[in-house]
Amino acid sequence: MDATLTDGVVRAGSDARERFYDARGYGRPVGGDLALAPVEAAHLLYRGDLDSVDGMGFRAFLASAAVPETAVLVYKDLRDRGFYLSPARERWVADRDTTGPVDFVVYPRGKGPWDDDVAYRVAVVGEREPVSAADLGEVVVAVVDEESEITYLETDRPTVSGSSGVALPDGVAGDLLADRVFCWGPPASLYERGFYGQRLDEQGGDVLQLSLVEAAYLARRGALAVEGGPGAVVERGREVEGDRFDRRLRAYTALRGRGVVPKTGFKFGADFRTYAGVESVADLGHSEWLVRVLAAGHAFAPRDLALDVRLAHGVRKEMVFALVEGADDADEDQHGGADGDRTGDTDGGVEWLSVGRLTP
Amino acid sequence: MDATLTDGVVRAGSDARERFYDARGYGRPVGGDLALAPVEAAHLLYRGDLDSVDGMGFRAFLASAAVPETAVLVYKDLRDRGFYLSPARERWVADRDTTGPVDFVVYPRGKGPWDDDVAYRVAVVGEREPVSAADLGEVVVAVVDEESEITYLETDRPTVSGSSGVALPDGVAGDLLADRVFCWGPPASLYERGFYGQRLDEQGGDVLQLSLVEAAYLARRGALAVEGGPGAVVERGREVEGDRFDRRLRAYTALRGRGVVPKTGFKFGADFRTYAGVESVADLGHSEWLVRVLAAGHAFAPRDLALDVRLAHGVRKEMVFALVEGADDADEDQHGGADGDRTGDTDGGVEWLSVGRLTP
């Protein structure tokens, strides 16, 4: 069976409609004929169901660049997994599915374009194409790596919610060192219930080491007294980390405000690991999230995403990205007066994006 | 007991020499007295063994910036683990240990500065300080993270050696697509024994998908015929990856030349995973290394190192960095005429650096 390609649409006759659309969910009926997207035609050529498009077989059709090979590979993989799917083109699928970065609408197994159900909305990217964080949250990203293996990444917009919290002390003395603060004689609860800092002496002692982000947060709330005030700590943070410090402080503040304890994620190569229900440090569960803090306009290299998601999976945590709007410091004026650290604030310009592996 | 600080050296009397040096390996005897590095004095102040240095107790001494807190934390941690150690200063330790980035010379447990044995040479860095790849290979890097936890990273310069290899075919036809090459009807051994490419159809079929780096390598050796020749493939690689493509091709070539098969490391967020002893793809063992390819002048962010090392550890592989000298393409003229892919070439400007976790 032969078909023709015009303006990005492959046309075949009523016979094709019956064989490919009615029986197996390829294409879109137009009058009595069948319209196929190039990716669908490529798959039919590969299978030998279609003999040619404008005289081209599978090899020539691919070489003609009528369709990117990444789309062909993902389409084939999803078909091989038993799914019917449609290209996310206008009139091919519902209007809601043609906006955003969606390439394919995948139907639940056993369903097809005749039904209303959608299993996945899939965006196809090559491993070298940057992926904008703003585009993620609802789609499944199918990354085709350089050796044509496909990794599916599920994205979501989780909510932050926890039950951790502690009453904060008033103006505990601290010394700002090169890139941390040593805090002298704080109430035991600051560490033991609030999980702020790290003791210098594991057996107890009176020195609590705070990271700059912890110290900035506590100083702003009046819980820590450092020479130069909160501003000196923030200034030091910016010196050693640049803009990243402000973003991290915003994310830290948003998490604490929601009852979630952020601790360093350094050992996992992340900004934070988080605990949603700290009753006491002596009785600490596993941390649930790994958080990487990014500017809201960030574009991911798919390989970096693969690295983070793989690592998080390996340590049984969820990979979450904190996307921080703007460079200005919305939290500047919130210090002082709080009884505890759970302010119930809004997230102050921080959005949350989770990314995980998916086997369709 | 009190001491004085002059020109970066803390001086204490003969009493101190007996108590601290003879009994516990602190400092360096000078005449009948004891010279202490500030980090040693800080530790003695912390322990209460020394009352003051120029009137300063532990808190004031730290706040005076006489010694970076990161050094104090690592020194304390190693002492807590039962080691004696010396600062890598001239006249404190052997001359060979005062060159390079070493901060501490750590003696085997039970040994001290009186002995000749060295267990580790340790470089101390804060998590925000870049670490030059060129400095690594012999030292242990002690990274102090923002919450004052310490991660020890062992570095080494491994050699590359494997027994993989296959006779290469002559000019198999390939089509250069957007960012891969489809190869039509190659001999089965190219994939099955050589582990080049990835079959489009897992059941066999005659289409072999090659990555651009595989295709460039094979085209240069005359094994693959693409329109435009090897240059067209390399050019495409540079278009989609920039300089990184040349570096990756150099590393790929060095590995193949040594009998090691590199395959994509995408799922691990790396450039390659490698197999040293491929007999056949049907009977493939686990890959041994994860390889990230970097320019020789690269400086690591310790957090990125922590991420790679943690991931590699989690999947039971060794993390190896290929450090590639220069941007020029030393391999340009090596194509053609080879019977197989094991050329036994030198590594052509590629050096290998492994980094792993260490518990001292």
Side-chain angles (χ1 to χ4, degrees):
Chain A
M1 185 180 290
D2 304 305
T4 55
L5 172 65
T6 313
D7 293 339
V9 177
V10 175
R11 295 278 185 162
S14 58
D15 209 33
R17 176 188 162 148
E18 204 172 289
R19 281 182 56 196
F20 304 142
Y21 178 77
D22 295 351
R24 284 145 60 206
Y26 287 88
R28 185 174 76 84
V30 178
D33 293 348
L34 183 67
L36 293 162
V39 69
E40 295 174 308
H43 194 246
L44 290 167
L45 286 168
Y46 168 72
R47 290 176 50 87
D49 289 331
L50 208 55
D51 295 314
S52 73
V53 173
D54 289 344
M56 296 179 279
F58 178 59
R59 179 175 174 180
F61 192 67
L62 268 186
S64 79
V67 52
E69 72 261 22
T70 46
V72 174
L73 293 167
V74 173
Y75 188 93
K76 173 182 182 299
D77 186 65
L78 289 165
R79 280 265 170 193
D80 288 350
R81 290 171 186 269
F83 292 99
Y84 289 178
L85 64 161
S86 297
R89 295 182 156 204
E90 261 180 60
R91 297 197 301 273
W92 240 266
V93 295
D95 285 350
R96 65 164 186 273
D97 295 326
T98 59
T99 55
V102 182
D103 292 296
F104 295 129
V105 173
V106 182
Y107 308 106
R109 280 195 184 82
K111 303 265 183 180
W114 325 278
D115 301 298
D116 247 0
D117 291 4
V118 172
Y120 311 110
R121 292 176 179 83
V122 174
V124 176
V125 297
E127 72 159 278
R128 300 173 179 111
E129 298 170 52
V131 177
S132 173
D135 281 346
L136 304 181
E138 295 188 351
V139 296
V140 168
V141 182
V143 185
V144 183
D145 72 28
E146 61 178 335
E147 288 178 8
S148 309
E149 292 269 10
I150 299 164
T151 302
Y152 293 92
L153 300 172
E154 192 167 33
T155 68
D156 206 349
R157 297 280 179 166
T159 52
V160 180
S161 151
S163 60
S164 308
V166 67
L168 294 179
D170 197 24
V172 176
D175 292 334
L176 177 57
L177 304 180
D179 66 353
R180 70 204 70 228
V181 167
F182 274 23
C183 179
W184 303 85
S189 66
L190 191 63
Y191 173 73
E192 287 172 4
R193 274 194 47 81
F195 205 4
Y196 287 94
Q198 169 86 0
R199 284 180 167 155
L200 179 57
D201 185 340
E202 279 164 32
Q203 272 71 56
D206 65 352
V207 186
L208 191 63
Q209 309 170 81
L210 298 170
S211 73
L212 290 176
V213 74
E214 289 175 323
Y217 176 84
L218 289 172
R220 282 182 170 174
R221 265 148 200 76
L224 178 73
V226 189
E227 200 179 313
V233 182
V234 172
E235 194 48 49
R236 178 64 52 82
R238 289 173 183 158
E239 276 168 32
V240 297
E241 273 190 8
D243 287 350
R244 212 181 124 224
F245 185 76
D246 286 297
R247 286 196 293 272
R248 297 177 78 234
L249 182 54
R250 294 265 293 276
Y252 184 95
T253 302
L255 289 162
R256 280 280 183 188
R258 298 280 190 182
V260 172
V261 175
K263 296 296 284 183
T264 180
F266 178 81
K267 279 179 196 290
F268 308 103
D271 285 294
F272 302 116
R273 63 188 199 277
T274 65
Y275 300 83
V278 176
E279 295 280 331
S280 90
V281 171
D283 183 29
L284 203 63
H286 261 60
S287 57
E288 299 94 17
W289 284 6
L290 290 184
V291 177
R292 183 179 297 286
V293 180
L294 300 168
H298 183 78
F300 293 100
R303 198 170 59 145
D304 294 342
L305 260 184
L307 177 56
D308 276 342
V309 169
R310 176 85 189 206
L311 178 72
H313 183 85
V315 296
R316 295 195 179 77
K317 301 184 198 300
E318 193 170 2
M319 189 70 218
V320 176
F321 298 93
L323 306 174
V324 183
E325 281 290 347
D328 56 308
D329 189 354
D331 192 55
E332 198 84 61
D333 296 309
Q334 291 183 16
H335 57 86
D339 290 332
D341 49 4
R342 290 179 62 186
T343 58
D345 285 342
T346 60
D347 289 342
V350 183
E351 296 200 358
W352 308 95
L353 168 68
S354 67
V355 184
R357 292 204 292 186
L358 173 80
T359 306
Chain B
M1 186 179 290
D2 304 305
T4 55
L5 172 66
T6 313
D7 295 337
V9 177
V10 174
R11 297 279 184 160
S14 58
D15 209 31
R17 174 186 165 149
E18 202 172 292
R19 280 182 57 196
F20 303 141
Y21 178 77
D22 296 350
R24 285 147 58 206
Y26 288 88
R28 185 174 76 84
V30 178
D33 292 349
L34 184 67
L36 293 162
V39 68
E40 295 174 309
H43 193 246
L44 291 167
L45 286 169
Y46 168 72
R47 290 175 51 87
D49 289 331
L50 207 57
D51 295 315
S52 73
V53 174
D54 288 344
M56 295 179 280
F58 178 59
R59 178 175 174 178
F61 192 67
L62 268 188
S64 79
V67 53
E69 72 260 21
T70 46
V72 174
L73 293 168
V74 173
Y75 187 93
K76 172 180 182 300
D77 187 65
L78 288 165
R79 280 266 170 193
D80 288 349
R81 289 171 186 271
F83 292 99
Y84 288 179
L85 64 162
S86 297
R89 294 181 156 204
E90 263 181 58
R91 296 197 301 274
W92 239 266
V93 295
D95 284 349
R96 65 163 188 272
D97 295 326
T98 60
T99 55
V102 182
D103 292 296
F104 295 129
V105 173
V106 181
Y107 308 105
R109 281 194 184 83
K111 304 267 182 177
W114 325 280
D115 301 298
D116 247 0
D117 290 3
V118 171
Y120 310 110
R121 293 176 178 84
V122 174
V124 176
V125 297
E127 72 159 277
R128 299 172 180 110
E129 298 170 52
V131 177
S132 173
D135 282 346
L136 303 181
E138 295 188 350
V139 295
V140 169
V141 182
V143 184
V144 183
D145 72 28
E146 61 179 333
E147 287 178 8
S148 308
E149 291 270 10
I150 299 164
T151 301
Y152 293 93
L153 300 172
E154 192 168 32
T155 68
D156 205 351
R157 296 279 178 168
T159 53
V160 181
S161 149
S163 60
S164 308
V166 69
L168 294 179
D170 196 25
V172 176
D175 292 334
L176 178 57
L177 304 180
D179 65 353
R180 70 205 69 228
V181 167
F182 274 24
C183 179
W184 303 85
S189 66
L190 192 63
Y191 173 74
E192 287 172 3
R193 275 194 47 82
F195 206 4
Y196 287 95
Q198 168 85 0
R199 285 181 167 155
L200 179 57
D201 185 340
E202 280 165 30
Q203 273 70 55
D206 64 352
V207 187
L208 190 63
Q209 309 168 82
L210 298 170
S211 73
L212 290 176
V213 74
E214 289 175 322
Y217 177 83
L218 289 172
R220 281 184 171 173
R221 266 149 200 76
L224 178 73
V226 190
E227 200 181 313
V233 183
V234 171
E235 195 46 50
R236 178 64 52 82
R238 289 172 183 158
E239 276 167 31
V240 297
E241 273 190 9
D243 288 349
R244 213 181 123 223
F245 185 76
D246 287 297
R247 285 195 292 272
R248 296 177 78 235
L249 182 54
R250 293 265 293 275
Y252 184 94
T253 302
L255 289 162
R256 280 280 182 188
R258 297 279 188 185
V260 172
V261 175
K263 295 297 283 184
T264 180
F266 178 82
K267 279 179 196 290
F268 308 104
D271 284 293
F272 303 117
R273 65 189 197 278
T274 66
Y275 300 83
V278 176
E279 295 280 332
S280 91
V281 170
D283 183 31
L284 202 64
H286 261 62
S287 58
E288 300 93 18
W289 284 6
L290 290 185
V291 177
R292 183 178 297 286
V293 179
L294 300 168
H298 183 78
F300 292 101
R303 198 170 59 144
D304 293 342
L305 259 184
L307 177 56
D308 276 341
V309 169
R310 176 85 189 206
L311 179 72
H313 182 86
V315 295
R316 295 194 181 76
K317 302 183 197 303
E318 193 171 1
M319 189 69 218
V320 176
F321 298 93
L323 306 175
V324 182
E325 281 290 349
D328 56 309
D329 189 354
D331 192 53
E332 198 82 62
D333 295 310
Q334 289 183 19
H335 57 85
D339 289 332
D341 49 4
R342 290 180 61 187
T343 58
D345 284 342
T346 60
D347 289 343
V350 183
E351 296 200 357
W352 308 96
L353 168 68
S354 67
V355 184
R357 292 205 291 186
L358 174 81
T359 306

